[in-house]
Amino acid sequence: MGKNEEKSVIQRASGLRTAEYVCYALGDAGGCLVFGLVTSILQTYYTDVLILSPFFIMIMFVLTRVWDAVNDPIMGRICDTVKVSKHGRYRVWFLRVAIPLAIASILLFCKFPGFGTPGDNLPAYIYATVTYVAWGMIYTMLQIPYGSLASVITLDDKERSKLSVFRAVGAALGSMPVMVLSMLCFSTDKTTGQSIVKYDVLLTGVIVMALLSMIALLFAFLGTKERVKAEPKHHEKGAAGKALKLIFGNKSMLSISVVAMLLLAGQMFTQSYYVYLIRYYFGKGGIFVSLPTILTYIPMAILMAFTPKLARKYGKKEITSVGMIIAAAANFLMFFLKFLDPAAALMPFMFLCFVSGFGLNLFVLQLWAMAGDAIDEIEVTTGSKDNGTAYAFLNFFRKLGQVISAIAVNAALLAMGYYDTASTLEFKFTGAQLSLMYVLATLIPAVMFALMALFLIVWYPLSKEKVTELQAKKEAYFGDENL
């Protein structure tokens, strides 16, 4: 008996080296270089540069993101049913999407003559809608295959957990240039309260990040390998509906999808809304604009070395539940800082952003491993090999999280009368407006994170013990024909 034959099925479908972890992480780094522009800058660009109404932005974001969410299952079925290329079923999409995504990202931030004129801005409204819809559809063509890729790179639970950490780190690294760009582009005149946006710097930064995104995706394509063979699938009538029914009926997949939805909603809300909060409530610009996001990400550098070990010892569900309790508590405590003068509240607010980030990152670093466990459970218990469709299901809920964020951010701006002031190009707000801005900025994410903690504890079923049982079932289920 040869040495290879003595290995278990899971051992033969594993064996990732550091270079492959890094290249896999570059897939999310490349995506987040441009996704971060949408989550952190686009909202403010629309209101302060193009002078679009928050009501319009809310409606546009909701409709386009619902349409985008509908595209996810379609893209999932495409991944699962199209002829497998010589480069595999999923990683080939890095190559196909890299250039179109870079172009679409640049077009989002192109400002033509006549754009940004209050009361006579129809061309800007039309352009914003068309470019945002196009960007969303192309981004879906990247995210569904990328998420599905983890299920065919390795079957080993420990490597999945480590892959999840690398993906989260890649996402954080991809988001950092956006923070720098926000510092350079957005500020507020301390004397007049006037919004200051350096558009030339913004567009240059967008072009640089779009090119870096393209390069990162090409390296992700070159440096990853699909170890689990993709079975050729035939188009069958009703197959998509059957696959979705199996996935929707899986408690693990449904619960982690809802929690992922709330995570993205909370993250996008804070990243977009804090830009306004820092500039107007705290009256700060420069590095302070991005400091809450930076402080949220810093704990990841501390936790990335420990979370796989913590997950193995205590379980993914167990440590992520604790993390979300910490994040919710930190955001509830932020609310009480409203009784302090903004100048006195600034540093405690930033400290609580760090504490919230510590809790959030316990979950962020394990999210994709937990999703992988749920996808494995579906296949092992039902025989369904529709990994692309399963990941599309998760991403559909994440898109709903973007919808929730769009509603929350723009409804909050409408509630405080932001557009009534911004449309005059004065950007001056009353004390009552700013007080309401702060209350909404703290309580909305606090509620979202509290719900995440509750759902993980009560609803998500894959405890440490259940994951151990799942590993044994995978060993029995996956045979040589899948390798």
Side-chain angles (χ1 to χ4, degrees), residues 100-119:
L101 183 61
I103 294 172
S105 300
I106 294 170
L107 290 176
L108 276 177
F109 292 89
C110 287
K111 181 178 182 288
F112 296 99
F115 286 14
T117 304

Side-chain angles (χ1 to χ4, degrees), residues 36-102:
L37 295 171
V38 172
T39 59
S40 298
I41 293 180
L42 189 64
Q43 169 78 38
T44 310
Y45 173 75
Y46 281 162
T47 57
D48 290 22
V49 178
L50 296 190
I51 317 296
L52 304 183
S53 162
F55 180 75
F56 167 80
I57 297 170
M58 180 174 67
I59 297 301
M60 183 191 74
F61 278 175
V62 169
L63 293 180
T64 55
R65 287 171 182 174
V66 167
W67 163 244
D68 200 24
V70 171
N71 286 328
D72 287 350
I74 296 174
M75 188 62 202
R77 293 311 295 169
I78 290 173
C79 288
D80 287 337
T81 57
V82 296
K83 183 180 179 181
V84 180
S85 77
K86 65 179 181 179
H87 301 300
R89 182 178 293 280
Y90 302 118
R91 58 187 282 268
V92 67
W93 289 95
F94 292 144
L95 191 61
R96 293 170 177 168
V97 171
I99 295 175
L101 183 61

